[in-house]
Amino acid sequence: MNKNLEEYFSGRRFHSISDYLKKEFGEKTIKLSIDGGFTCPNRDGSKGINGCTFCSDSGSGEFSSNIEDQIKLLSVKWPKAKYIAYFQNHTNTYAPVEILKERYSAVLKNEKISGIAIATRPDCITDEALDLLDEINRNNFMWVELGLQTIHEKTAEEINRCYDLNCFMDTYNKLIERNIKVVVHLILGLPGETESDMLESVRYVSHLKNLFGIKLHLLNVMKGSTLSVTHPDYVSFNSIEEYVDLVVRCVEIIPKEVTIHRLTADAKRNLLISPVWSFNKRTILNSINDRLNLLDTWQGKKA
């Protein structure tokens, strides 16, 4: 890897969101996962009642907590850090626009908050919500995170996603037209998908117009999820080495300008069923970095 790429990646071999935010704000900038009190149309009966099959009872937000509590804890180690409020649990645009405005505004009024990130579903952004997001984006640092998980319709049906790829693309394009940064979430290891299927999803998303970021999430089978009932013995990847090999191939086909927000998963050990090794997040990330170095490869090398 040449010197220019090393400088671009801040000494890494991929374009991490942590490095991007440090350049943007001049200090280490940390995402604070918070629960906005929202639900999901795939849980309240509008489209379904049990959510996507991989989703636990907490809506994939097992680590969310109060903003002030998180800042107090983190400021001990990083006294000069800045913070992004990350609405994580469930579907964070799934409410009347008045409620959305109230909850987003509440965190943005906090002088310790430098920006906002909103995780949602592409079928849950109304025209009114889009206008609100546009307004926020004009005055604040913001990105919207869309859960896609896979581009393959058969898999989408099996995980009970309850929207199709056309819906995702329609919403994605509306956000991009408003110059809103978009991060797309993909899951690696969904039941029935081959490595070729997963790479196809990564390749498709990586070449979306003006994509800001991508999240690659290792599929964990968690207690409280439908998957734990329907696939109690399912293991997405048999070893760290197997997973790392795939992630490196994914990184190689992601264009270098796309920020990478996640390369594995966060899981509370007491809720994790499989893979049993996946709670070792630091080991997984170190293994990915080691593999990139060993192969002398980097993000975008094969894009």
Side-chain angles (χ1 to χ4, degrees), residues 81-289:
K82 296 185 178 181
Y83 300 97
I84 301 291
Y86 176 37
F87 283 84
Q88 179 181 17
N89 297 51
H90 298 300
T91 305
N92 293 279
T93 57
Y94 187 54
V97 70
E98 295 81 11
I99 293 176
L100 298 179
K101 186 172 184 178
E102 176 187 352
R103 295 182 188 174
Y104 301 159
S105 298
V107 297
L108 288 170
K109 288 177 181 176
N110 188 321
E111 62 182 11
K112 299 174 184 176
I113 299 299
S114 299
I116 185 171
I118 300 167
T120 189
R121 292 165 54 100
D123 56 341
C124 291
I125 300 182
T126 63
D127 289 342
E128 293 80 8
L130 185 62
D131 288 340
L132 174 61
L133 294 173
D134 188 17
E135 179 183 345
I136 294 171
N137 188 56
R138 290 173 186 274
N139 299 294
N140 301 274
F141 179 86
M142 184 187 79
W143 75 70
V144 171
E145 191 169 300
L146 295 179
L148 176 60
Q149 325 314 350
T150 178
I151 66 166
H152 303 289
E153 299 295 0
K154 181 180 178 182
T155 309
E157 291 177 9
E158 291 179 353
I159 64 174
N160 196 41
R161 194 178 65 187
C162 296
Y163 60 83
D164 61 18
L165 185 59
N166 287 335
C167 173
F168 166 82
M169 285 305 309
D170 182 58
T171 300
Y172 180 87
N173 288 330
K174 287 179 179 178
L175 291 166
I176 294 302
E177 286 170 4
R178 304 286 187 110
N179 294 315
I180 294 172
K181 299 179 185 67
V182 180
V183 177
V184 180
H185 189 292
L186 293 174
I187 295 180
L188 302 177
L190 290 168
E193 290 211 341
T194 64
E195 290 189 354
S196 178
D197 291 331
M198 294 178 241
L199 289 168
E200 188 178 354
S201 288
V202 174
R203 190 173 290 106
Y204 180 96
V205 169
S206 295
H207 292 90
L208 291 173
K209 180 181 178 181
N210 295 330
L211 178 69
F212 173 63
I214 191 168
K215 294 179 77 170
L216 301 179
H217 197 296
L218 164 64
L219 176 68
N220 285 329
V221 180
M222 305 291 289
K223 294 177 182 177
S225 67
T226 299
L227 200 61
S228 69
V229 177
T230 60
H231 295 68
D233 300 318
Y234 181 72
V235 180
S236 53
F237 295 89
N238 292 317
S239 67
I240 290 178
E241 292 75 19
E242 182 184 348
Y243 181 69
V244 166
D245 179 71
L246 177 62
V247 169
V248 168
R249 283 186 284 154
C250 291
V251 169
E252 288 179 322
I253 62 176
I254 299 171
K256 66 181 180 64
E257 64 272 12
V258 176
T259 55
I260 293 181
H261 293 235
R262 180 181 289 280
L263 289 172
T264 184
D266 286 314
K268 286 187 176 180
R269 196 167 182 177
N270 65 317
L271 296 177
L272 177 66
I273 297 175
S274 76
V276 293
W277 47 263
S278 67
F279 68 90
N280 292 310
K281 182 178 179 181
R282 181 50 51 193
T283 299
I284 298 168
L285 293 176
N286 286 340
S287 297
I288 292 169
N289 287 322

Side-chain angles (χ1 to χ4, degrees), residues 20-37:
Y20 175 93
L21 291 173
K22 188 170 184 178
K23 290 177 182 177
E24 178 76 16
F25 295 106
E27 298 285 351
K28 181 176 180 62
T29 305
I30 304 170
K31 279 196 315 180
L32 303 177
S33 297
I34 58 176
D35 186 346

